[in-house]
Amino acid sequence: MKIAIVHDWLVTYAGAERVLASLINIWPEADLFSVIDFLSDQDRAQLGGKVAKTTFIQRLPKAKTKYQRYLPLMPMAIEQLDLSGYDLIISSSHAVAKGVLCGPDQLHVSYVHSPIRYAWDLQHQYLKEANLSTGLRGKVARMILHYMRMWDQRTAAGVDDFIANSHFIGARITKAYRRESTVIYPPVDTRGFALQEHKQDYYFTASRMVPYKRMPMIIEAFAAMPNKRLVVIGDGPEMEKAKAAAANAPNVTLLGYQPFAVLQEHMSNARAFVFAAEEDFGISPVEAQACGTPVIAFAKGGVVETVCGLDHPQPTGVLYPEQSVASLMAAIETFEINGSRITAQACRNNAERFSEARFELEMRQFVETRLTAARQSRQPAHTRPIQIAPTLVSSDLSARVVPIKSV
């Protein structure tokens, strides 16, 4: 059996690429396809050294750094990948990967991180953050996104089975494509984080400094609570806003980008991990719990499935209702009052629900079950094995045989 794995684009090694690495670990013989592939040698090692077969966008000017400008061309590009010789196609998609062309004798299973966020329910937020809400450029952007939505919905018909990375994304799939999905949570390297029972007296957050992560908001909340210490790791476009928010807050320490070992140390020793984003799944809160560190998080998105709030018998954190300074401050006060109810071991046990081994087992079983069903459905009716319906026989020998169900 020939297997193809399709990914949107390969530029950095982040959450979606961790899923891809596990898929390759399950099916190491698979061929890899992507719109572009500019991974570093270090990142490629995580994928077993595989190099993707790419599209014409790979050769366009500045495709490595400005690839998102080519989004309008990506539907056409992904459809040019020739997968006609493959029996099984697995797409890992948050943009266009699920749109590959396939035939009736091929099984296409799509693991969806999200339907195209900026084309569906988050369109207005993205346009605002990109300063495209008004003007000619804004009108052009809306036209492009309208086209992307139509293409995205149409190509959903080419997918045999959808897998969502959370129930939150499963609801998006239903809304966008009118299709059901199976939830298989993405893999988290829980083995890379050791349980730390004893904590130090500081709070911790780490993320890319991009608008939806709300990092300046977290800093503003701690600036208003000078008796509570916050350590921040991360860099990105919002770094200057973060620095401005921390300018008059000596209790806030900005470390910028740091290697994994430094992040791991601070996460393990923190009193709690603070999270303010609306994520599809959210790997960082699970990594924090793997260290035995409680999580204080905005109660929307995948995090409500990965963090057990105070209403749970074994809580692992505090969930707050609004992305606001006041709501976060109230959550921190709630945590300090109820923190003794949250144990490091409970956090670790909860994190193990999202391990790499669990993901790989569930993915393999799902695909093998679908392959078996697909093979049986393609068999001519006269060659299929006859299935005898089980029966119930009464203890009264004169009673008739009652079938449980008909064939």
Side-chain angles (χ1 to χ4, degrees):
M1 184 175 65
K2 293 193 66 178
I3 303 170
I5 298 176
V6 187
H7 196 66
D8 290 305
W9 48 74
L10 291 165
V11 179
T12 59
Y13 190 81
E17 286 68 40
R18 296 186 191 190
V19 171
L20 177 61
S22 282
L23 294 176
I24 292 172
N25 195 42
I26 301 169
W27 295 285
E29 72 278 18
D31 292 329
L32 180 60
F33 295 82
S34 183
V35 171
I36 57 173
D37 183 355
F38 291 106
L39 279 183
S40 66
D41 292 339
Q42 181 180 357
D43 288 342
R44 194 176 305 283
Q46 304 290 329
L47 305 181
K50 280 190 180 290
V51 178
K53 299 176 183 179
T54 58
T55 70
F56 65 87
I57 294 178
Q58 178 84 12
R59 300 181 294 277
L60 296 181
K62 297 185 178 180
K64 181 177 181 178
T65 56
K66 305 293 184 182
Y67 61 93
Q68 290 177 326
R69 292 183 179 179
Y70 294 118
L71 182 66
L73 299 178
M74 288 186 185
M76 179 175 66
I78 205 74
E79 290 176 350
Q80 302 311 305
L81 293 173
D82 183 5
L83 303 183
S84 58
Y86 293 88
D87 306 291
L88 170 63
I89 299 166
I90 301 171
S91 59
S92 166
S93 183
H94 58 79
V96 298
K98 77 160 191 29
V100 291
L101 300 179
C102 53
D105 293 329
Q106 297 172 294
L107 178 66
H108 180 187
V109 176
S110 185
Y111 189 92
V112 177
H113 308 278
S114 177
I116 307 175
R117 301 175 185 91
Y118 27 86
W120 290 97
D121 55 313
L122 297 182
Q123 172 186 289
H124 302 293
Q125 176 184 327
Y126 274 87
L127 290 174
K128 183 178 180 181
E129 292 172 356
N131 295 318
L132 291 172
S133 297
T134 59
L136 179 60
R137 291 175 65 239
K139 291 179 180 178
V140 172
R142 290 174 191 275
M143 289 174 60
I144 291 171
L145 293 177
H146 177 70
Y147 155 70
M148 293 294 295
R149 270 193 304 278
M150 291 191 297
W151 177 86
D152 194 35
Q153 190 173 55
R154 177 182 61 78
T155 56
V159 176
D160 294 289
D161 289 277
F162 280 105
I163 300 175
N165 74 353
S166 64
H167 291 283
F168 178 65
I169 292 304
R172 273 190 179 161
I173 290 171
T174 301
K175 196 80 170 181
Y177 307 145
R178 296 300 179 194
R179 294 282 301 277
E180 295 299 315
S181 60
T182 299
V183 173
I184 298 180
Y185 291 116
V188 180
D189 182 18
T190 54
R191 294 176 302 174
F193 296 85
L195 175 63
Q196 174 65 269
E197 297 273 358
H198 303 289
K199 304 297 182 180
Q200 299 178 20
D201 192 20
Y202 68 89
Y203 293 86
F204 177 66
T205 188
S207 177
R208 290 180 294 120
M209 296 277 190
V210 292
Y212 84 95
K213 297 285 189 179
R214 299 292 196 271
M215 296 292 276
M217 186 201 84
I218 296 175
I219 296 169
E220 288 173 18
F222 279 87
M225 298 182 292
N227 61 325
K228 306 182 196 305
R229 185 180 167 215
L230 175 69
V231 177
V232 182
I233 286 179
D235 201 354
E238 295 250 297
M239 187 60 171
E240 292 306 314
K241 286 185 179 180
K243 288 180 179 178
N248 297 312
N251 60 316
V252 176
T253 304
L254 291 177
L255 298 180
Y257 171 80
Q258 295 293 327
F260 174 74
V262 176
L263 181 147
Q264 184 184 45
E265 179 183 0
H266 281 85
M267 186 175 278
S268 297
N269 291 305
R271 185 175 183 180
F273 180 78
V274 184
F275 194 70
E278 178 187 330
E279 289 279 16
D280 305 329
F281 174 75
I283 290 177
S284 294
V286 179
E287 292 175 336
Q289 291 173 89
C291 301
T293 301
V295 176
I296 300 171
F298 172 52
K300 192 171 182 181
V303 76
V304 301
E305 301 172 44
T306 63
V307 177
C308 302
L310 292 174
D311 58 344
H312 193 275
Q314 294 289 323
T316 64
V318 173
L319 301 172
Y320 56 94
E322 298 177 0
Q323 280 179 314
S324 68
V325 169
S327 187
L328 175 54
M329 290 175 65
I332 292 167
E333 294 297 334
T334 299
F335 170 76
E336 296 198 345
I337 294 170
N338 297 276
S340 60
R341 294 176 50 201
I342 303 172
T343 66
Q345 188 61 57
C347 292
R348 176 72 189 191
N349 292 345
N350 187 52
E352 289 294 353
R353 296 193 296 126
F354 310 99
S355 69
E356 291 177 330
R358 181 270 326 160
F359 171 82
E360 293 180 10
L361 175 63
E362 291 181 5
M363 277 296 301
R364 184 189 299 276
Q365 288 178 339
F366 181 89
V367 171
E368 287 179 353
T369 299
R370 287 297 295 115
L371 279 170
T372 300
R375 291 190 188 107
Q376 290 178 349
S377 68
R378 290 167 189 160
Q379 279 185 283
H382 67 279
T383 66
R384 296 177 195 164
I386 298 174
Q387 297 182 353
I388 306 299
T391 60
L392 286 176
V393 181
S394 169
S395 58
D396 181 357
L397 295 180
S398 64
R400 64 185 178 89
V401 175
V402 182
I404 292 178
K405 61 179 180 179
S406 60
V407 178

